Amino acid sequence: MKIKQQLQGMASYKPGMTPENVRASLGLEKIVKLSSNENPKGPSPKAIEAATKSLQQIFLYPDGYGLQLKQCLAAMHGMPVEQFILGNGSDEIILILCRALLQAGDNTVMPTPSFPQYRHNAMIEGAECREVELIQGAHALDAMAEAIDDSTKIVWICNPNNPTGVHISSEAFVAFMEKVPPHVLVVSDEAYIEYVTADDFPDSLALISKYPNLMVLRTFSKAYGLAGLRVGYGVASEALISQIDPAREPFNTSIPAHSAAIAALSDVNYLAETRNENAAIKATFRTFCESLGLTVYPSETNFVLVDFHAPADEVYNGLLHEGFIVRSGAALGFPSAVRITIGSEEDMAELSAAISRVLPTLTVGEEK
Ligand SMILES: *Cc1c(COP(=O)(O)O)cnc(C)c1O
């Protein structure tokens, strides 16, 4: 057997530690997971109820097209059903796009550090990855536009960016779209859009009618609290959706996922609570971190990248021993920072106390 050359030496996705791992290895009673940007409130109770009810139907294949869910999305966004594609998480839509557009000889432009799945899936298809360094946590859009050539097929935009939380303004995004030639697909991954409070965030869905080479990705995994059910969606021109759809597995999203997502969309109050609580807790946590002299990247998401100016793994391990699982920046391209999901008010207060205890134990003076 000979697997694709480019897969040789590639590593599987490394998830963070699970609370069970930490409990077993450190013997701590309470473990708080703040490493994967999940919603600490969980999903709307209506979503859980709908998913539970739907279990009666799981001997059947799901509607592979996910029509009911797409109808809800279409109504919500005021766009036709034909402009939507569902994925087993938006991760799967990234895979579908790479599968549909990329092959050896092509290249794809992306920010770095950013969400690793753009690079991962593009590599498997044998495309060249042109990674453009962020500037202070933000996309270097001019440099990204310059990296495009005749062989570029996809440009990835992560707005707001994971792992920095920094967003791209509407003005900057439109100026970028104007520079991108029409043969290049721009994918705007907006996994955290429900958390955004900045009023200059692009209305990317409205831009699709102007830019047929724009695709927007959204997910139910973050603010909607349904990461475990794996459901996300893409929005683009009808022509683009119908061209990539044959690269999708026929039954890629499940019956419980459809039911829970539909119910989650209907509970607008729950989403508003999620968003307001996150913004308030994030602001308090930021003020606390800054009072200690730490640097917090401006975040429009439910996580913050905090630069401790000390080795990231020391911070990570220190907080782990206090019962908090965060994401070390060492593996994310930020060797002196950690990415911390905004948890509940109580958990963030306890985390703040833990940070005060860990801080004096760190090797100081490490600059990024
Ligand atoms: C979490 C995340 C996703 C993936 O979400 P799923 O829908 O769970 O696959 C995509 N993009 C970014 C930037 C993310 O942070």
Side-chain angles (χ1 to χ4, degrees), residues 329-352:
L332 302 176
F334 290 93
S336 61
V338 295
R339 192 193 68 192
I340 303 172
T341 304
I342 302 301
S344 69
E345 191 172 8
E346 185 196 347
D347 287 342
M348 296 310 277
E350 287 172 12
L351 173 66
S352 298

Side-chain angles (χ1 to χ4, degrees), residues 142-216:
D142 290 341
M144 289 182 74
E146 276 162 30
I148 295 170
D149 66 17
D150 290 346
S151 302
T152 305
K153 295 295 187 308
I154 307 179
V155 179
W156 304 91
I157 297 287
C158 188
N159 195 18
N161 188 50
N162 180 2
T164 57
V166 176
H167 80 291
I168 298 168
S169 74
S170 178
E171 194 182 344
F173 184 70
V174 171
F176 177 74
M177 287 305 301
E178 284 295 319
K179 285 192 208 165
V180 176
H183 75 271
V184 178
L185 174 66
V186 175
V187 179
S188 182
D189 180 353
E190 301 179 346
Y192 299 93
I193 188 163
E194 296 84 6
Y195 287 112
V196 172
T197 56
D199 50 19
D200 66 349
F201 196 81
D203 183 355
S204 54
L205 296 186
L207 293 171
I208 290 172
S209 58
K210 184 162 182 210
Y211 301 105
N213 60 330
L214 173 62
M215 171 124 195
V216 176

Side-chain angles (χ1 to χ4, degrees), residues 13 36-38 87-94 114-118 157-163 189-192 217-222 226-233 302-303 339:
Y13 177 77
S36 300
N37 306 336
E38 292 134 331
N88 190 28
S90 49
D91 273 353
E92 196 206 10
I93 304 181
I94 296 168
S114 189
F115 193 57
Q117 294 309 303
Y118 317 139
I157 297 287
C158 188
N159 195 18
N161 188 50
N162 180 2
D189 180 353
E190 301 179 346
Y192 299 93
L217 304 185
R218 304 268 172 97
T219 181
F220 287 92
S221 297
K222 303 287 158 62
L226 295 172
L229 278 180
R230 313 302 305 126
V231 57
Y233 61 100
N302 69 333
F303 60 82
R339 192 193 68 192

Side-chain angles (χ1 to χ4, degrees), residues 221-275:
S221 297
K222 303 287 158 62
Y224 287 106
L226 295 172
L229 278 180
R230 313 302 305 126
V231 57
Y233 61 100
V235 195
S237 74
E238 190 178 333
L240 179 61
I241 295 293
S242 64
Q243 281 184 303
I244 63 167
D245 201 53
R248 180 181 61 79
E249 297 258 317
F251 304 105
N252 63 331
T253 49
S254 71
I255 288 173
H258 294 160
S259 301
I262 290 168
L265 285 177
S266 77
D267 199 343
V268 290
N269 291 337
Y270 192 85
L271 186 69
E273 266 172 39
T274 289
R275 170 189 159 87

Side-chain angles (χ1 to χ4, degrees), residues 11-19 21 33 35-36 38 116-117 316 325-328 331 339:
S12 300
Y13 177 77
K14 267 198 214 70
M17 292 265 271
T18 66
N21 299 151
K33 182 169 182 270
S35 50
S36 300
E38 292 134 331
Q117 294 309 303
Y316 169 81
I325 310 174
V326 300
R327 198 77 168 175
S328 171
R339 192 193 68 192

